[in-house]
Amino acid sequence: MMYKVKVYVTLKESVLDPQGSAVKGSLHQLNYKEVNDVRIGKYMELMIDETVADLDTTVKEICEKLLANTVIEDYRYEVEEVVTQ
C-alpha cells in the first residue's frame, strides 16, 4: 500500500497575487463580471510508501522545507490510501 498525498499551496490572503489579478481582469474583459477574486496556486501529488514512520510529520516537513514558502504561502494536504498490486 502507498499513500497519495495531494498538496495545495496558495499565497496567504495578505499577500498580493498579481497573476490572480491579471486573470480576474481578463475574465472581466470576457464579460465574466461575476468573478470577484482569483487566487493562483500550485497543486502537487506525492506518492509515499506506507513504511513512513509518521506520515503527517513527513508531509509537513516536505511542505515547509521545499514545496511552500511559509512566509508568503499557506499549504494544505489530503491523504488517500492507494492499494498497489
Side-chain angles (χ1 to χ4, degrees):
M1 184 181 70
M2 307 239 341
Y3 297 107
K4 180 191 281 188
V5 181
K6 298 177 180 182
V7 180
Y8 304 88
V9 179
T10 54
L11 289 171
K12 292 184 177 190
E13 287 294 323
S14 61
V15 176
L16 293 176
D17 185 349
Q19 281 185 301
S21 296
V23 170
K24 178 182 152 188
S26 296
L27 289 170
H28 284 187
Q29 288 179 343
L30 294 170
N31 279 331
Y32 294 104
K33 307 283 187 200
E34 63 274 9
V35 176
N36 293 315
D37 194 22
V38 176
R39 304 289 288 178
I40 302 293
K42 298 178 277 189
Y43 169 76
M44 291 150 275
E45 286 185 359
L46 309 174
M47 295 297 288
I48 300 178
D49 194 283
E50 69 178 347
T51 60
V52 65
D54 184 344
L55 181 64
D56 281 324
T57 299
T58 299
V59 172
K60 287 176 185 175
E61 286 176 358
I62 290 170
C63 288
E64 292 175 8
K65 289 181 179 179
L66 181 66
L67 302 182
N69 176 349
T70 57
V71 173
I72 61 169
E73 294 175 318
D74 290 323
Y75 68 89
R76 66 180 176 84
Y77 61 92
E78 302 168 359
V79 177
E80 294 178 12
E81 291 183 4
V82 177
V83 178
T84 56
Q85 309 223 355

